[in-house]
Every structure is written in structure tokens, then in C-alpha cells.
Amino acid sequence: MPTEAWWRDAVIYQIYPRSFADSDGDGMGDLPGITARLPELRRLGVDAIWLSPFYPSPQHDAGYDVADYRGVDPRFGSLGDADKLIDTAHELGLRVIVDLVPNHTSSEHAWFRAALAAGPGSPERQRYIFRDGAEPPNSWQSVFGGPAWERLPDGQWYLHLFDASQPDLNWDHPEVRAEFLDILRFWLDRGVDGFRVDVAHGLIKDADLTDWTAPSVVLGGLEPAGPPPPMWDQEGVHEIYRQWRSVLDEYPGGRILVAEAWVQPEERLARYVRPDEMHQAFNFPYLEAPWAATELREIIDSSLAANDEVGATTTWVLSNHDVVRHASRLGFPPGEGRRPGIGIGDPQPDAGLGLRRARAATLLMLALPGSAYLYQGEELGLPEHTGLPDEVRQDPAWERSGHVERGRDGCRVPIPWEADAPSFGFGPADASWLPQPAVWAEYALDRQVGVPGSTYELYRSALRTRRTHELGSGELVWLATDPGALAFRNGDVVVVTNFGDEPVALPGGAQILLSSEPLDAGGLVPTDVTVWAML
Ligand code: GLC
């Protein structure tokens, strides 16, 4: 694989800077903390990291409310720390993708402050979506709950598809377009290898701001398939990405754009990764698929077909900072566990079942051709923190939904490195911006390194084997198996996942390479287990 196309089969590890590693003991992760831990990711065997936002921000949406796109929030360090992180990653052979949030700024961004100060009718207000009226301009709801319009004391309304502290930019304004081209160059010049584009399907709104009365869709959920709603997946977004692509193509080394677009069906999503647009799009239909052979096979097939059609690589993902961790999600009966957030008093997942399925799901995912995304902590088998007291919740969805949605804090808790250290080795002090559950000692990295059968060693072996057998650039051929199972060949590796109640046989003569749990006494693949074997 030429290095220019490194991303086609890459495994990309998402770092959530608040919760990865804290160098100064203030309970909030930071860039020097990340840099110091990068050798661990090299040892794990990933190809690249994606960093959630670290820019100056009032942190009303954990940094997805950006006040300055060209800086680093002092909580996380300095621009010099960002440069050091990028250089260290490159020395270790890791690529670096940063998060770009173009749909909205923070209300503390200089442009929005200027818009507030300048008043109705001013050019400053043209960069956002302001409207007059006694009533909200339309019926749109915020993704986090409540109306998507906020009224100012001067009578005007502004649009915010997310929190009221996240005003939507007006992407029909040439200054907005020019500004983001410049921001792209700012980070490309600093050496980043790409951008994960936040809410990539939201930038352009239907010109008439047509009413949309369907219930608002919570984050981490897909709109029902059908004509796109007036705020999502409008045709005009594609022109923006074509322009961005031409900027990236001026830089050497294979710089990429990754779309966060909650769009379906897969053919609509694939439109973001046509040859002159982005390079990858997160495969949320795959993330959302139930733990069932038929549905997963259908989604794998339709994803590969839709991406093949446009010449793009297919991506696979099971967890991120917006959804319940898959080790917990898969511990619920089918159809449950998909809401964003689980709290005390809610139905709880079966932790053992969830982890068993999560390990099987990961082995299945990492055997698929294409690129895969991992979320920090999943290599430890970390479950969601489902016992967070509601008073410590910080996700704006909790307040804005009127305490209906617990929100995403449970997947954002600082991760455990050392079982017996303060804050489980997250930082030097016993401080963590969200409390860590005591049970996480068992999941700490130092309890798993070198331990045969640990989830960490399973991930490490899988990543090594995936590389040796070139599974990321291979081709999937389905094999006949029991109806409750999936079996396929990718190059010289045969993969079997058993979703059913009865154990299933491997093809005759198969030599086991890896297995998410031991096989049964008869050499059969038990329920909720994935096996990689060679023929
Ligand atoms: C994306 C992010 C999410 C954030 C939202 C608003 O969906 O992944 O965390 O809250 O955009 O920026």
C-alpha cells in the first residue's frame, strides 16, 4: 500500500483529550499527558490517532464549542504542546487527525461576540443564522433537546442545532468559507495528517428553513431513511468538501478528511466520499446494527457495495465519545441499550455478556477489509460508567432534554492505566473530572499487559495479525455456515462469528490464529465468540 493511501486500511484510535492522560494532576487530561502515553499506542499497534477538540473553548459541549480554531485551550496545554504531540506521534510512526467543528462556533468566538455587539441587521450577524419575529422562525428542535432557536434581548433569534452556546454558522457567507480554508491550512502547515469533520451533514440548511415537525433525533441516532430533513444532508454540503479536498491535495503525504455524518442509507453516506470529496465517513449504520447475523451481514454488504461504487474505502466503528460503549451496549437484550446514556435506576447491562460480545464484535470488525476506528479504553474492555451520580453530569443533553436523556458522560470517564495508583494512573493526583468507578481497577492497563486472554492482549494480537495477513486491504468472501453464524474468508484467513445458541464448526483443517474466547471441548465455536483461523 503506497503511503499516500495509508488511510485505506488504517486502524485509527480516538483520543478524548479530557480523559486520556493528565500530566499536571488537575483532573483534566491534557496534550503533554497524551504525548507521554503515545508509545503505549505504538505498542498497541494502531496506525493513527484522532484527537477530539483541544481548542480554546468554554467547554459547554466538552470542546465541541470552539472559541478559537487556531489555538489550544490552556486546560489542555499550548500550541507548542500540540506541535510536540504531532512530532512525537510522527517519530513513532503514528499519523495525527484533529477534529474540525465547522457547523457552529462557540458563543464566545470573536465572530459571535461581534455579532451580538453589532446588533440586528449588521454585517456581523450575517455570518450566523439570525432571524426576526415574535415567534421562533420555525419548529426545529435542538439535537440536545428543546427549541433550536434562542432569542436575544434585542428580539432577534439565532439558530443552534446543538446547545444554545453553539450558534450555527451561515455557510452561504463567503467569509465563513474563506475562514475555514485558512484554518485547514493552519493545521496542515503544522503537520496534521487529516481532519475529522464534526456534523459534516449539517453545514447547509434548506434555504427556506422549512418547518420540520418530526421528533428531534438524539445524538448517536440515525434519522429514518427517507428524504433528508431540511437541516441535514443538503446537496450544498458537497461543494464545500470538494473545495476542502482541493486544499488537502496541495499537501504531500496523504492528508485526509473524515465525515461525521449521521446519514443513511449507505448510498447517501457514500456521496461524502466520492473521489473529489472526503476520504472516509464513519459507518454509523454498522455501529447501530443489532448483534445478529442477518442484519450485520446485510450492513457489511451494503456498506462495502456503496463505498466500492464510489471507489472509497469502507470504515467500521463500534464505539466513540457519543454512544454507549459497546461492551455495555451489547450487554442488553436486542433493541435496548441504544439511548445515549445509562444512569442509576435505569435497566443495567449484563457486564459479562457485554464484554464477551464486545470481544467477539471487535474481532469480527478488525477482520473486515477497510479502515477501523477504536475509541480509547475499548482495548481494555471498558464498560460504560452506568453509576455516575446525576449531579456530576456535564453533557448539555442532560439539562436540555429536561433530564430525559442522561447524556454521554458515561463513555467519557478518564481511563484506567494502573490499578493501584491514584486516579488509576490517569494523572499524578487523585483527581478526575468525572469520577471513575472502583471496578475499573480490574480493567487497568497494567492488569492486562502480558496477561494471556486479556482484552488488551486480544486487541494487540488482532492488530498484529490484521497487519501480517493484510486484512485491511483484503477482500471479503462469504462462506456457508449455520444460520445463526457468519463465516467469511479474507485472503488466507477464515473468520467465524457465532451469534446463535448452538456451537458451530470451523471449516475442516482450520488452524486457529485467534479466538475471542476459548473454543469448546469439541473444538466448536461457542455462542458469542469470533475465531480467526487459517485454512
Ligand atoms: C458531534 C460530536 C459531538 C458534539 C456534536 C456537536 O456529533 O461528536 O460530541 O456534541 O457534534 O458539535
Side-chain angles (χ1 to χ4, degrees), residues 16 50 61 64-65 99 101 104 144 162 166 196 198-199 219 260 262 320-322 395 408 412:
Y16 196 66
W50 146 38
D61 185 22
Y64 283 93
D65 45 331
D99 220 305
V101 187
H104 43 265
F144 295 153
F162 294 88
Q166 294 166 297
R196 175 263 188 192
D198 190 67
V199 197
L219 198 76
E260 187 225 16
W262 294 88
N320 65 33
H321 67 293
D322 290 328
D395 184 349
R408 300 159 291 171
R412 298 175 172 181

Side-chain angles (χ1 to χ4, degrees), residues 388-436:
L388 275 178
D390 287 338
E391 355 20 301
V392 304
R393 294 194 181 282
Q394 301 206 14
D395 184 349
W398 168 240
E399 288 301 331
R400 286 200 63 91
S401 68
H403 298 177
V404 172
E405 302 298 347
R406 303 264 182 188
R408 300 159 291 171
D409 297 301
C411 66
R412 298 175 172 181
V413 174
I415 61 173
W417 297 89
E418 294 155 44
D420 299 319
S423 68
F424 299 132
F426 164 59
D430 196 12
S432 162
W433 69 279
L434 284 173
Q436 300 162 299

Side-chain angles (χ1 to χ4, degrees), residues 15 46 61 164 231 272-273 336 338 353 424 467 504:
I15 293 180
V46 298
D61 185 22
M231 68 293 271
Y272 289 77
V273 289
E336 285 179 35
R338 312 211 149 256
L353 178 66
F424 299 132
R467 195 184 295 270
V504 300

